[in-house]
Amino acid sequence: MNLSVSLTVNGELRTLALDDPRITLLDLLRERLQLTGTKKGCDRGQCGACTVLVDGRRINACLQLVASLDGATVQTIEGVADGDTLHPVQAAFIEHDALQCGFCTPGQIMSTIGLINEGQAGAEPERIREGLSGNLCRCSAYVGIVEAVLDAQATLAGKKTERAA
């Protein structure tokens, strides 16, 4: 049984023939589309390493079947930067040393972008920690991650103010 699915991935429309309706978004991204920035950690939705944005919402790609995403827009870590210009969240992660081994970083960044876009980050570190609680960092870079979220949020708010003026 073949199933055809159309997705917009990082701004590019992709029409894909699926020979197995049980393929997850994570496996499609990594194996078929060669977008390996999205990491396979636990493969059970518990670590957040595979976090991507689907229609602007944060999801664990390891739990999402591609067959249910026909017509969706998917953004991965590869689609965040604007050419050579890093997204403010990426820049803040570097500035605040919010990574060590880097394995969880793509999922942390995607979750942070979603958290900020949802208006759920707030200004309190505890609220940020709660909002990112589904993303684990085995190296314990959490202090830097919270600082990066606060910094990126301020930078993005400043850009919105500049555009409104």
Side-chain angles (χ1 to χ4, degrees):
M1 174 177 129
N2 280 337
L3 175 67
S4 180
V5 177
S6 293
L7 301 171
T8 301
V9 180
N10 297 330
E12 183 180 337
L13 181 62
R14 306 273 190 128
T15 300
L16 306 152
L18 305 177
D19 55 357
D20 184 351
R22 298 170 298 174
I23 187 170
T24 64
L25 179 58
L26 176 60
D27 288 336
L28 177 87
L29 293 171
R30 291 185 58 79
E31 306 301 326
R32 292 269 308 269
L33 301 180
Q34 303 305 307
L35 296 172
T36 57
T38 304
K39 303 301 182 204
K40 184 178 267 199
C42 67
D43 214 18
R44 295 178 180 200
Q46 296 175 345
C47 72
C50 66
T51 303
V52 297
L53 302 179
V54 173
D55 295 331
R57 298 189 61 216
R58 301 177 283 167
I59 66 149
N60 291 326
C62 70
L63 298 178
Q64 186 67 55
L65 295 177
V66 175
S68 68
L69 294 176
D70 192 31
T73 299
V74 178
Q75 185 178 31
T76 70
I77 193 69
E78 289 90 349
V80 171
D82 185 10
D84 290 336
T85 303
L86 295 177
H87 186 281
V89 172
Q90 291 173 304
F93 266 64
I94 293 169
E95 177 71 26
H96 293 280
D97 200 23
L99 56 119
Q100 287 184 30
C101 80
F103 187 82
C104 73
T105 305
Q108 296 277 2
I109 288 172
M110 296 309 295
S111 193
T112 296
I113 291 169
L115 186 71
I116 292 170
N117 289 346
E118 294 161 11
Q120 298 298 316
E124 302 85 31
E126 185 58 35
R127 184 171 175 175
I128 293 167
R129 283 190 287 274
E130 177 65 28
L132 296 177
S133 65
N135 292 82
L136 303 180
C137 174
R138 291 187 175 118
C139 300
S140 295
Y142 295 114
V143 171
I145 291 169
V146 170
E147 290 171 359
V149 174
L150 290 167
D151 186 19
Q153 186 172 228
T155 299
L156 289 166
K159 286 186 177 192
K160 286 180 186 174
T161 304
E162 289 173 15
R163 281 186 236 147

